[in-house]
Amino acid sequence: MLQIKDLHIKADDSTSPIIKGLNLEVRKGEVHAIMGPNGTGKSTLASTLAGKPKYSATEGSVTFNGKNLLELSPEQRAREGVFLAFQYPVEIPGVNTMNFLKTALNEIREYRGEEPLSAAEFIKLAKEKNELIGVNESLMQRGLNSGFSGGEKKKNEIFQMAVLEPTLAILDETDSGLDIDALKVVADGVNRLRSEDNAIIIVTHYQRLLDYIKPDYIHVMHDGRIVKSGGKELAIELERKGYDWLKS
Amino acid sequence: MIKMIKKTLQIPTGKSETITLEEDKMSLKISVMAGASLIIYDIQTEEKDTSREVEITLEGENSEAKVYGLYILKGRAKAASKIQIKHLKKNCKSSQIYRAILDDNSQGNFEGNIYVAKEAAGTEATQETKTLLLSEGAKVKALPKLEIFAEDVICRHGVTSGQIDEDTLFYMRSRGISEHKAKELLTLSFLSEVLDKIHLPDTKLKEFKKDCLHIYS
């Protein structure tokens, strides 16, 4: 589904690269965790995959279902099935959550040649999806993320994921700033959305989230590269030894 | 040269009136008597030069004035709007809420004045101007001015000017919404605080919304 080859990325306000030759392959049905200390390029990778204009690839390639992902606009990537759960979801007062999400879903459906959902159909779908996540319904009538707590914003990201049904979901530090109850809700939601047809990349600093969402593969990033990959057992080793032993 | 149209009006005791400013160059003086209320819509969505000046005097107790401004400026449009509201008596309320979007090389000059006389205790007054600049060539000057001589007064004022936030735009696009549509939604949301307050026939309101969004077509 996703092949990243020798990827180098820099930010437009800097000359030095952040990602320096990264390789990763993700297949259908897999869950990958990308771990590592702050400042190693994890979030840059997540944002680049979603098409954040600030980052550009100077070398290497990213192929998603046979397409050159780096050539696509952020909205085209979303319509192709890429979804990024943001580390810091933005607040958009004045753009109602439900209206926002209906617009998004219908643009994606139109791209795929499907009929747009009517308001009633969308509300029904949103209610069904929200049974998994349990975002407070009164919040959905408000401006997007406007005045939401940190936990509510993260839940709202997963709710959006449930509605948009991406084939590749990238969760960027979704566990940061969550208390244990909210973490369980979010993890539970993600687990239920996990299927044979989609893939998930979890970017996280901590082992904690991986207690609830079990990845198939774990990768450790250091200085813009993946320096170690392994199965579930790697998380336990990291928990015990920290990251320092991988830096040299 | 278009002649400046000058008018003087009075809203009699207990009456209420809604006025939509239509002339391009105009100066209007309105007295609002006790218990009367006035709503003014100051709307400009075409590519032309306008200069509007309104002086509202709240002459009777418990009178009220609300001014809603909506400006969509494109091309070389130049707009000047000067609103002055004078609170002369007790317990009067006023608000001036402006939203302006400026594109291309347009220029906007928004002046909002509040004057509260010594006798006007219990005054509540708001002055708020928010502008959104869509191009580097667009210029805006927003000037709030408060002169307060009374005690027991609530006055709020605020002026902000900004651009469409890149992070917000990326967030919306990352959900599959086109850049064009995202900008439309953000623009309507920026204007919503004023649009929601404008009570005009639906068709007229739709026309305004269409004008607002023309900026992206």
Side-chain angles (χ1 to χ4, degrees):
Chain A
M1 175 185 284
L2 179 76
Q3 290 97 21
I4 303 175
K5 284 184 187 149
D6 191 32
L7 186 64
H8 291 65
I9 299 168
K10 70 169 208 64
D12 60 9
D13 53 1
S14 153
T15 49
S16 53
I18 304 168
I19 304 286
K20 307 168 185 173
L22 185 136
N23 294 288
L24 180 68
E25 169 141 26
V26 178
R27 286 173 292 260
K28 269 202 316 191
E30 293 177 350
V31 175
H32 290 243
I34 295 179
M35 302 186 70
N38 284 331
T40 51
K42 302 189 304 291
S43 283
T44 299
L45 177 67
S47 297
T48 301
L49 291 176
K52 188 164 180 157
K54 188 183 172 201
Y55 299 113
S56 52
T58 52
E59 273 180 66
S61 66
V62 181
T63 311
F64 179 66
N65 288 332
K67 291 197 169 128
N68 178 356
L69 196 69
L70 298 173
E71 276 182 351
L72 303 180
S73 67
E75 54 268 38
Q76 284 170 324
R77 297 180 198 205
R79 294 166 191 171
E80 288 287 337
V82 175
F83 177 89
L84 174 65
F86 281 60
Q87 182 176 8
Y88 303 109
V90 300
E91 296 196 13
I92 316 180
V95 176
N96 168 295
T97 303
M98 291 293 266
N99 190 20
F100 168 78
L101 203 48
K102 180 168 146 269
T103 305
L105 182 64
N106 279 340
E107 292 220 7
I108 291 172
R109 289 178 66 90
E110 190 187 336
Y111 178 80
R112 294 178 183 161
E114 295 163 2
E115 286 291 306
L117 293 187
S118 69
E121 287 167 327
F122 175 76
I123 289 167
K124 187 166 169 280
L125 174 82
K127 280 198 165 157
E128 276 169 30
K129 298 292 182 181
N130 194 33
E131 277 171 23
L132 294 176
I133 324 288
V135 178
N136 187 331
E137 286 199 19
S138 68
L139 295 183
M140 294 199 197
Q141 298 306 328
R142 270 204 231 159
L144 186 72
N145 290 326
S146 186
F148 285 29
S149 71
E152 284 161 345
K153 282 182 189 167
K154 295 296 175 86
K155 276 202 226 168
N156 196 16
E157 293 292 286
I158 304 305
F159 168 62
Q160 292 178 44
M161 174 181 161
V163 171
L164 300 179
E165 297 184 318
T167 43
L168 175 67
I170 303 151
L171 313 183
D172 187 10
E173 305 270 2
T174 296
D175 50 335
S176 69
L178 290 186
D179 63 40
I180 197 71
D181 292 325
L183 182 76
K184 280 181 185 164
V185 170
V186 163
D188 196 36
V190 173
N191 283 327
R192 292 207 223 171
L193 295 172
R194 204 170 163 170
S195 87
E196 283 303 306
D197 298 316
N198 61 28
I200 300 172
I201 298 175
I202 300 166
V203 172
T204 181
H205 187 95
Y206 302 105
Q207 151 75 26
R208 197 171 71 143
L209 183 62
L210 306 184
D211 292 338
Y212 299 97
I213 306 171
K214 299 288 179 203
D216 301 300
Y217 299 96
I218 292 174
H219 311 278
V220 180
M221 274 187 82
H222 177 64
D223 195 24
R225 284 185 202 93
I226 289 174
V227 292
K228 177 98 181 157
S229 295
K232 298 181 191 58
E233 69 289 347
L234 183 57
I236 298 155
E237 203 174 350
L238 290 168
E239 175 86 327
R240 201 157 43 84
K241 299 208 263 186
Y243 292 115
D244 282 344
W245 60 287
L246 291 166
K247 284 184 185 171
S248 50
Chain B
M1 188 77 185
I2 299 165
K3 224 180 98 193
M4 174 77 85
I5 296 161
K6 290 187 181 179
K7 271 192 209 165
T8 307
L9 290 175
Q10 192 194 69
I11 316 296
T13 303
K15 293 279 191 258
S16 50
E17 192 73 60
T18 300
I19 297 170
T20 303
L21 305 183
E22 279 166 359
E23 292 85 3
D24 294 342
K25 312 265 176 195
M26 62 170 309
S27 155
L28 184 60
K29 286 189 179 179
I30 310 173
S31 302
V32 186
M33 309 315 283
S37 66
L38 168 69
I39 296 174
I40 289 183
Y41 300 140
D42 178 10
I43 298 171
Q44 212 294 70
T45 59
E46 290 166 59
E47 189 178 339
K48 59 183 180 186
D49 293 355
T50 56
S51 171
R52 292 170 178 167
E53 215 177 301
V54 181
E55 186 185 304
I56 300 166
T57 309
L58 298 170
E59 279 186 30
E61 289 186 12
N62 299 305
S63 58
E64 189 175 359
K66 293 178 183 170
V67 185
Y68 296 109
L70 180 67
Y71 278 76
I72 313 286
L73 303 176
K74 287 165 276 190
R76 302 197 156 269
K78 268 188 204 169
S81 164
K82 183 177 175 184
I83 309 293
Q84 179 162 41
I85 301 184
K86 293 180 175 173
H87 287 250
L88 299 188
K89 293 283 162 61
K90 284 182 186 168
N91 302 323
C92 297
K93 288 182 189 171
S94 73
S95 64
Q96 306 167 49
I97 312 286
Y98 272 71
R99 294 290 180 274
I101 294 181
L102 293 95
D103 199 2
D104 306 324
N105 293 303
S106 60
Q107 291 180 30
N109 200 329
F110 303 98
E111 209 178 304
N113 301 311
I114 302 170
Y115 170 87
V116 183
K118 201 164 173 260
E119 299 75 27
T123 287
E124 273 184 50
T126 304
Q127 201 286 326
E128 184 191 278
T129 305
K130 290 187 185 174
T131 59
L132 187 61
L133 297 172
L134 299 180
S135 81
E136 296 203 347
K139 285 193 185 72
V140 70
K141 207 157 112 188
L143 206 71
K145 209 158 105 192
L146 282 80
E147 286 180 283
I148 300 167
F149 298 101
E151 313 231 339
D152 182 25
V153 164
I154 300 172
C155 270
R156 305 178 201 87
H157 69 105
V159 169
T160 64
S161 177
Q163 285 130 8
I164 284 188
D165 178 61
E166 285 302 318
D167 287 337
T168 304
L169 200 56
F170 171 57
Y171 186 89
M172 297 176 83
R173 295 176 72 192
S174 81
R175 298 298 182 248
I177 298 174
S178 69
E179 186 173 357
H180 182 92
K181 184 78 192 171
K183 283 184 174 171
E184 281 189 1
L185 283 172
L186 290 173
T187 305
L188 282 179
S189 98
F190 173 78
L191 297 173
S192 65
E193 279 163 89
V194 168
L195 276 178
D196 294 348
K197 300 275 166 48
I198 298 180
H199 297 290
L200 289 171
D202 266 1
T203 47
K204 194 77 188 152
L205 200 58
K206 271 188 191 148
E207 254 174 61
F208 283 134
K209 287 195 181 181
K210 233 168 76 189
D211 286 341
C212 299
L213 298 177
H214 260 158
I215 214 147
Y216 300 114
S217 57

